Short mmCIF file of all heavy atoms in Angstrom, two decimals:
data_model
loop_
_atom_site.label_atom_id
_atom_site.label_comp_id
_atom_site.label_asym_id
_atom_site.label_seq_id
_atom_site.Cartn_x
_atom_site.Cartn_y
_atom_site.Cartn_z
N TYR A 32 -12.67 -2.17 4.12
CA TYR A 32 -13.65 -3.22 3.95
C TYR A 32 -13.53 -3.86 2.57
O TYR A 32 -13.70 -5.07 2.42
CB TYR A 32 -15.06 -2.68 4.15
CG TYR A 32 -16.14 -3.70 3.93
CD1 TYR A 32 -16.36 -4.71 4.85
CD2 TYR A 32 -16.96 -3.65 2.80
CE1 TYR A 32 -17.35 -5.65 4.66
CE2 TYR A 32 -17.95 -4.59 2.60
CZ TYR A 32 -18.15 -5.59 3.54
OH TYR A 32 -19.14 -6.52 3.35
N ALA A 33 -13.24 -3.04 1.59
CA ALA A 33 -13.12 -3.55 0.24
C ALA A 33 -12.14 -2.69 -0.54
O ALA A 33 -11.95 -1.51 -0.25
CB ALA A 33 -14.48 -3.55 -0.45
N MET A 34 -11.54 -3.30 -1.51
CA MET A 34 -10.66 -2.58 -2.41
C MET A 34 -11.05 -2.93 -3.84
O MET A 34 -11.64 -3.99 -4.09
CB MET A 34 -9.19 -2.94 -2.16
CG MET A 34 -8.71 -2.56 -0.77
SD MET A 34 -6.94 -2.88 -0.51
CE MET A 34 -6.22 -1.54 -1.49
N GLY A 35 -10.73 -2.06 -4.71
CA GLY A 35 -11.11 -2.30 -6.09
C GLY A 35 -10.19 -1.61 -7.07
O GLY A 35 -9.40 -0.74 -6.72
N TRP A 36 -10.31 -2.06 -8.29
CA TRP A 36 -9.61 -1.45 -9.40
C TRP A 36 -10.62 -0.86 -10.36
O TRP A 36 -11.61 -1.51 -10.72
CB TRP A 36 -8.74 -2.48 -10.13
CG TRP A 36 -7.53 -2.89 -9.36
CD1 TRP A 36 -7.39 -3.97 -8.55
CD2 TRP A 36 -6.27 -2.21 -9.34
NE1 TRP A 36 -6.13 -4.01 -8.01
CE2 TRP A 36 -5.42 -2.94 -8.49
CE3 TRP A 36 -5.78 -1.05 -9.96
CZ2 TRP A 36 -4.10 -2.56 -8.24
CZ3 TRP A 36 -4.48 -0.67 -9.71
CH2 TRP A 36 -3.66 -1.42 -8.86
N PHE A 37 -10.37 0.36 -10.73
CA PHE A 37 -11.20 1.07 -11.69
C PHE A 37 -10.30 1.52 -12.83
O PHE A 37 -9.09 1.59 -12.68
CB PHE A 37 -11.88 2.27 -11.04
CG PHE A 37 -12.81 1.91 -9.91
CD1 PHE A 37 -12.31 1.52 -8.67
CD2 PHE A 37 -14.19 1.95 -10.08
CE1 PHE A 37 -13.16 1.18 -7.63
CE2 PHE A 37 -15.05 1.63 -9.05
CZ PHE A 37 -14.54 1.24 -7.83
N ARG A 38 -10.90 1.84 -13.94
CA ARG A 38 -10.11 2.33 -15.05
C ARG A 38 -10.88 3.39 -15.81
O ARG A 38 -12.11 3.42 -15.81
CB ARG A 38 -9.69 1.20 -15.99
CG ARG A 38 -10.84 0.56 -16.77
CD ARG A 38 -10.33 -0.63 -17.57
NE ARG A 38 -11.39 -1.25 -18.35
CZ ARG A 38 -11.24 -2.38 -19.03
NH1 ARG A 38 -10.07 -3.03 -19.01
NH2 ARG A 38 -12.25 -2.88 -19.73
N GLN A 39 -10.13 4.25 -16.44
CA GLN A 39 -10.73 5.30 -17.24
C GLN A 39 -9.90 5.48 -18.50
O GLN A 39 -8.72 5.80 -18.44
CB GLN A 39 -10.81 6.62 -16.48
CG GLN A 39 -11.55 7.70 -17.23
CD GLN A 39 -11.89 8.89 -16.35
OE1 GLN A 39 -11.26 9.12 -15.33
NE2 GLN A 39 -12.91 9.63 -16.74
N ALA A 40 -10.54 5.25 -19.62
CA ALA A 40 -9.91 5.45 -20.91
C ALA A 40 -10.20 6.86 -21.39
O ALA A 40 -11.19 7.48 -20.99
CB ALA A 40 -10.42 4.43 -21.91
N PRO A 41 -9.35 7.39 -22.26
CA PRO A 41 -9.59 8.74 -22.77
C PRO A 41 -10.97 8.88 -23.40
O PRO A 41 -11.38 8.05 -24.22
CB PRO A 41 -8.49 8.91 -23.82
CG PRO A 41 -7.40 8.01 -23.36
CD PRO A 41 -8.11 6.82 -22.78
N GLY A 42 -11.68 9.91 -22.99
CA GLY A 42 -13.00 10.16 -23.54
C GLY A 42 -14.10 9.27 -23.00
O GLY A 42 -15.24 9.36 -23.46
N LYS A 43 -13.78 8.44 -22.05
CA LYS A 43 -14.77 7.55 -21.49
C LYS A 43 -14.91 7.76 -19.99
O LYS A 43 -14.03 8.34 -19.35
CB LYS A 43 -14.41 6.08 -21.76
CG LYS A 43 -14.40 5.71 -23.24
CD LYS A 43 -14.13 4.23 -23.43
CE LYS A 43 -14.16 3.84 -24.89
NZ LYS A 43 -13.90 2.39 -25.07
N GLU A 44 -16.02 7.29 -19.46
CA GLU A 44 -16.26 7.39 -18.04
C GLU A 44 -15.47 6.34 -17.29
O GLU A 44 -15.13 5.28 -17.83
CB GLU A 44 -17.75 7.25 -17.74
CG GLU A 44 -18.62 8.34 -18.33
CD GLU A 44 -18.31 9.69 -17.74
OE1 GLU A 44 -18.11 9.78 -16.52
OE2 GLU A 44 -18.26 10.67 -18.51
N ARG A 45 -15.19 6.62 -16.05
CA ARG A 45 -14.51 5.66 -15.21
C ARG A 45 -15.42 4.45 -14.98
O ARG A 45 -16.63 4.61 -14.78
CB ARG A 45 -14.14 6.29 -13.87
CG ARG A 45 -13.34 5.38 -12.95
CD ARG A 45 -13.08 6.07 -11.63
NE ARG A 45 -14.31 6.29 -10.89
CZ ARG A 45 -14.41 7.05 -9.82
NH1 ARG A 45 -13.33 7.69 -9.35
NH2 ARG A 45 -15.58 7.18 -9.21
N GLU A 46 -14.86 3.29 -15.02
CA GLU A 46 -15.63 2.08 -14.81
C GLU A 46 -14.93 1.16 -13.83
O GLU A 46 -13.70 1.16 -13.71
CB GLU A 46 -15.86 1.34 -16.14
CG GLU A 46 -14.58 0.84 -16.79
CD GLU A 46 -14.84 0.03 -18.04
OE1 GLU A 46 -15.99 -0.37 -18.28
OE2 GLU A 46 -13.87 -0.21 -18.80
N VAL A 47 -15.72 0.37 -13.15
CA VAL A 47 -15.16 -0.59 -12.23
C VAL A 47 -14.62 -1.77 -13.01
O VAL A 47 -15.24 -2.22 -13.98
CB VAL A 47 -16.21 -1.05 -11.19
CG1 VAL A 47 -17.40 -1.72 -11.87
CG2 VAL A 47 -15.58 -1.98 -10.16
N VAL A 48 -13.48 -2.25 -12.61
CA VAL A 48 -12.86 -3.40 -13.24
C VAL A 48 -13.04 -4.64 -12.38
O VAL A 48 -13.50 -5.68 -12.85
CB VAL A 48 -11.36 -3.16 -13.50
CG1 VAL A 48 -10.70 -4.40 -14.09
CG2 VAL A 48 -11.18 -1.96 -14.43
N ALA A 49 -12.67 -4.53 -11.12
CA ALA A 49 -12.77 -5.65 -10.20
C ALA A 49 -12.72 -5.12 -8.78
O ALA A 49 -12.08 -4.11 -8.51
CB ALA A 49 -11.64 -6.66 -10.43
N THR A 50 -13.38 -5.82 -7.89
CA THR A 50 -13.35 -5.46 -6.48
C THR A 50 -13.20 -6.72 -5.65
O THR A 50 -13.55 -7.82 -6.08
CB THR A 50 -14.62 -4.72 -6.02
OG1 THR A 50 -15.76 -5.58 -6.16
CG2 THR A 50 -14.84 -3.45 -6.84
N ILE A 51 -12.70 -6.53 -4.45
CA ILE A 51 -12.59 -7.63 -3.51
C ILE A 51 -13.00 -7.13 -2.14
O ILE A 51 -12.59 -6.06 -1.70
CB ILE A 51 -11.16 -8.24 -3.49
CG1 ILE A 51 -11.10 -9.43 -2.54
CG2 ILE A 51 -10.12 -7.18 -3.10
CD1 ILE A 51 -9.83 -10.26 -2.70
N THR A 52 -13.84 -7.90 -1.49
CA THR A 52 -14.32 -7.58 -0.15
C THR A 52 -13.58 -8.43 0.85
O THR A 52 -13.54 -9.66 0.71
CB THR A 52 -15.83 -7.83 -0.04
OG1 THR A 52 -16.52 -7.06 -1.02
CG2 THR A 52 -16.34 -7.45 1.33
N TRP A 53 -12.99 -7.79 1.85
CA TRP A 53 -12.20 -8.54 2.82
C TRP A 53 -13.04 -9.48 3.65
O TRP A 53 -12.57 -10.53 4.07
CB TRP A 53 -11.42 -7.58 3.71
CG TRP A 53 -10.46 -6.70 2.99
CD1 TRP A 53 -10.26 -5.37 3.19
CD2 TRP A 53 -9.54 -7.08 1.95
NE1 TRP A 53 -9.28 -4.89 2.37
CE2 TRP A 53 -8.82 -5.91 1.59
CE3 TRP A 53 -9.25 -8.28 1.30
CZ2 TRP A 53 -7.84 -5.93 0.59
CZ3 TRP A 53 -8.28 -8.28 0.30
CH2 TRP A 53 -7.59 -7.12 -0.03
N ASN A 54 -14.27 -9.11 3.91
CA ASN A 54 -15.17 -9.97 4.66
C ASN A 54 -15.69 -11.07 3.75
O ASN A 54 -16.71 -10.91 3.08
CB ASN A 54 -16.32 -9.16 5.24
CG ASN A 54 -17.26 -10.01 6.06
OD1 ASN A 54 -16.89 -11.08 6.53
ND2 ASN A 54 -18.49 -9.54 6.24
N GLY A 55 -14.99 -12.18 3.74
CA GLY A 55 -15.38 -13.30 2.92
C GLY A 55 -14.62 -13.40 1.61
O GLY A 55 -14.71 -14.41 0.91
N GLY A 56 -13.89 -12.35 1.29
CA GLY A 56 -13.11 -12.38 0.07
C GLY A 56 -13.93 -12.40 -1.19
O GLY A 56 -13.47 -12.89 -2.23
N THR A 57 -15.12 -11.86 -1.13
CA THR A 57 -15.98 -11.82 -2.30
C THR A 57 -15.37 -10.94 -3.38
O THR A 57 -14.89 -9.84 -3.11
CB THR A 57 -17.37 -11.29 -1.93
OG1 THR A 57 -17.93 -12.12 -0.91
CG2 THR A 57 -18.29 -11.30 -3.15
N THR A 58 -15.39 -11.44 -4.58
CA THR A 58 -14.85 -10.69 -5.70
C THR A 58 -15.92 -10.38 -6.73
O THR A 58 -16.93 -11.08 -6.84
CB THR A 58 -13.70 -11.45 -6.38
OG1 THR A 58 -14.17 -12.73 -6.83
CG2 THR A 58 -12.54 -11.64 -5.42
N TYR A 59 -15.67 -9.33 -7.45
CA TYR A 59 -16.55 -8.92 -8.53
C TYR A 59 -15.69 -8.54 -9.72
O TYR A 59 -14.63 -7.93 -9.56
CB TYR A 59 -17.42 -7.73 -8.12
CG TYR A 59 -18.08 -7.05 -9.30
CD1 TYR A 59 -19.27 -7.51 -9.82
CD2 TYR A 59 -17.48 -5.94 -9.90
CE1 TYR A 59 -19.85 -6.90 -10.91
CE2 TYR A 59 -18.06 -5.32 -10.99
CZ TYR A 59 -19.25 -5.81 -11.50
OH TYR A 59 -19.82 -5.20 -12.58
N TYR A 60 -16.16 -8.89 -10.90
CA TYR A 60 -15.45 -8.53 -12.11
C TYR A 60 -16.40 -7.95 -13.13
O TYR A 60 -17.53 -8.44 -13.29
CB TYR A 60 -14.77 -9.76 -12.73
CG TYR A 60 -13.69 -10.36 -11.86
CD1 TYR A 60 -13.98 -11.43 -11.02
CD2 TYR A 60 -12.40 -9.86 -11.89
CE1 TYR A 60 -12.99 -11.98 -10.22
CE2 TYR A 60 -11.41 -10.41 -11.09
CZ TYR A 60 -11.71 -11.46 -10.26
OH TYR A 60 -10.72 -12.01 -9.48
#
Side-chain angles (χ1 to χ4, degrees):
Y32 178 73
M34 298 184 73
W36 288 95
F37 298 75
R38 68 186 182 187
Q39 186 167 23
K43 296 184 178 181
E44 297 296 318
R45 184 183 66 191
E46 64 176 346
V47 61
V48 177
T50 63
I51 183 167
T52 302
W53 299 137
N54 182 21
T57 302
T58 58
Y59 165 84
Y60 296 95

